[in-house]
Amino acid sequence: GGDHTITYPILQALAAKHGPVGLVHVDAHTDTGDTALGEKIYHGSPFRRCVEEGLLDCGRVVQIGIRGSSYDPDPHKYCREQRFRVVPVEECWMKSLEPLMREVRAQMGDKPMYISFDIDGLDPAYAPGTGTPEIAGLTPAQALEIIRGCKGLNIVGCDLVEVSPMYDVSGNTALLGANLLFEMLCVLPGVKTL
């Protein structure tokens, strides 16, 4: 739960301890906007604010599942300029993400990294309980491949955001969110699993 703004102060604290961190960011949106209604801090801007404060190791930022409407003819330009790797959802459709995650693991290396998972990265058929749903998203199986693909990395924190149960009478979004958080806890360093 919570909107994606919560990642910004978390990354401030982690960067104060570890220096700039890598990021695996699963989302329908890049969340690198500048302002909304005159405000610089909102759920669509946390990663721009993080870049401005030097909280991210930009060459180790991967954004997976990006799609949806945009107000800009080149919506990923800012991300490319920062050296983020943007993986549009079209590159994920109908395939296993294990090969992608092998590349991501190599990119992250052994330095500190963070996982930020917006539930709207998944298709609204699976997770309708969110404020900014976008069609043609990732599947739950792909979400597991991403999270499990981070096992063994130097994960210093993680979050799952944008779950809004009131938008899903079935409760499936909350169930999926809780399970993805459990999976993230299972890949933290030092956690022993069967």
Side-chain angles (χ1 to χ4, degrees):
D3 80 23
H4 225 150
T5 310
I6 69 168
T7 307
Y8 175 39
I10 294 169
L11 289 176
Q12 286 176 318
L14 289 173
K17 180 174 182 177
H18 300 284
V21 298
L23 175 69
V24 171
H25 171 211
V26 181
D27 205 319
H29 314 96
T30 62
D31 291 352
T32 55
D34 193 12
T35 62
L37 303 173
E39 297 296 325
K40 292 185 79 67
I41 297 175
Y42 73 104
H43 69 99
S45 70
F47 300 114
R48 182 178 289 246
R49 302 289 86 88
C50 289
V51 167
E52 291 169 351
E53 291 186 24
L55 309 178
L56 295 174
D57 180 353
C58 292
R60 295 190 310 119
V61 173
V62 180
Q63 299 181 301
I64 304 170
I66 306 301
R67 63 190 187 284
S69 55
S70 172
Y71 301 109
D72 192 309
D74 188 0
H76 308 140
K77 181 175 186 254
Y78 177 84
C79 298
R80 286 193 314 272
E81 290 172 348
Q82 308 314 311
R83 301 185 336 270
F84 292 5
R85 178 177 181 182
V86 177
V87 182
V89 75
E90 292 87 351
E91 294 180 20
C92 303
W93 287 341
M94 298 173 277
K95 64 173 83 166
S96 169
L97 299 187
E98 285 185 359
L100 169 66
M101 292 312 296
R102 281 194 293 275
E103 295 173 11
V104 169
R105 292 173 62 75
Q107 185 175 354
M108 292 297 143
D110 60 0
K111 295 179 184 173
M113 56 84 63
Y114 187 84
I115 303 169
S116 188
F117 202 115
D118 187 323
I119 201 72
D120 74 22
L122 286 118
D123 191 272
Y126 306 107
T130 188
T132 52
E134 300 281 0
I135 66 162
L138 302 171
T139 68
Q142 290 173 316
L144 292 179
E145 288 179 317
I146 293 167
I147 295 168
R148 291 175 182 178
C150 291
K151 186 169 180 65
L153 293 176
N154 186 7
I155 303 166
V156 294
C158 54
D159 65 48
L160 184 124
V161 298
E162 301 285 352
V163 173
S164 186
M166 68 182 181
Y167 293 140
D168 180 4
V169 296
S170 74
N172 285 342
T173 308
L175 173 67
L176 182 54
N179 277 272
L180 294 178
L181 272 173
F182 174 78
E183 292 282 337
M184 283 188 249
L185 292 172
C186 289
V187 299
L188 291 175
V191 174
K192 299 205 183 319
T193 58
L194 297 176

